[in-house]
Amino acid sequence: MNNSIRFNWIYLFIFIIVIEVIGSLSALFAGDIKSIYNGLNLPVLSPPDYLFGIVWPILYALIGIAGYLIYYTPSIQHDKVINYILFGSQLVINFIWSIIFFKYEAYWLSFAVIIVLDLIVLLCIINFFKSSQLASILFVPYFVWIVFASYLTIGVAMLN
C-alpha cells in the first residue's frame, strides 16, 4: 500500500479558502483595525498598517496548505487526533485574538492569548513533523510572525 499523499487540487483550494474566510471574519468582527492600530502608541519596530494586509493572507494560505497536508497525509490515528486538536485550537485562538485586541482593546488579555497561541503553534510545528514535514515547515513563518506580534502586543499593552 502506498503511504504517500494523494493530491487533490479541489480539496487544497477548499482548505485555503476556508482558512482565508476564517481570518477575514475575525478581522470583520474586530472592527476598524486600521484606524485602531494607527491610533495606538506603538512600540519600536511596529510595521506600517498595510503590511498586515499583505502578510496575513499569505500566512492563512500557508496554514490552509498545512491543514490540507495534515488531513490527507496518512499517519497513526493518535497523531492525527493530536494534530487535528492542535490545528483547530490555533485557529480558534487566532480568530479570537484580533477581536480581543482590537474590538475590546483588552491588550493584557490579548497578550496572554497570543502567548498561548505561540505555544500551540510551536506544538503544531513539533507534532506535524511526524506526519508531514512540509506542513511543519509551512507553520514556521506563521510562528515567526506571531512571536513578533507577541512583542507588538506587549508593547501596546505597556504603552496604552
Side-chain angles (χ1 to χ4, degrees):
M1 179 174 234
N2 185 355
N3 280 344
S4 65
I5 188 171
R6 284 185 261 158
F7 193 77
N8 185 314
W9 284 103
I10 293 170
Y11 292 155
L12 174 63
F13 181 73
I14 290 169
F15 264 85
I16 293 170
I17 294 301
V18 166
I19 301 302
E20 294 285 353
V21 167
I22 289 169
S24 296
L25 286 172
S26 175
L28 178 69
F29 294 150
D32 188 357
I33 292 175
K34 183 177 179 178
S35 294
I36 296 166
Y37 180 80
N38 288 325
L40 294 170
N41 294 317
L42 298 169
V44 176
L45 302 178
S46 294
D49 59 31
Y50 68 84
L51 189 61
F52 296 97
I54 296 168
V55 171
W56 274 112
I58 294 168
L59 293 176
Y60 286 136
L62 296 176
I63 293 167
I65 295 166
Y68 169 83
L69 293 170
I70 289 306
Y71 189 78
Y72 286 103
T73 300
S75 62
I76 299 169
Q77 185 63 26
H78 178 263
D79 290 342
K80 270 197 172 297
V81 170
I82 291 171
N83 287 342
Y84 295 163
I85 291 168
L86 289 171
F87 188 83
S89 297
Q90 65 79 27
L91 273 181
V92 169
I93 295 168
N94 181 309
F95 181 88
I96 65 171
W97 181 88
S98 295
I99 298 165
I100 293 167
F101 185 89
F102 290 105
K103 183 174 184 170
Y104 295 107
E105 299 178 9
Y107 305 129
W108 287 106
L109 176 59
S110 64
F111 178 66
V113 169
I114 204 167
I115 293 302
V116 172
L117 181 60
D118 292 340
L119 294 173
I120 292 174
V121 170
L122 181 59
L123 287 173
C124 286
I125 292 167
I126 293 165
N127 282 286
F128 290 178
F129 197 80
K130 298 174 197 172
S131 304
S132 171
Q133 292 177 359
L134 181 54
S136 177
I137 291 166
L138 291 172
F139 258 54
V140 171
Y142 176 35
F143 180 70
V144 170
W145 184 257
I146 62 171
V147 167
F148 178 62
S150 299
Y151 155 76
L152 295 175
T153 302
I154 196 165
V156 167
M158 292 169 43
L159 295 171
N160 292 276

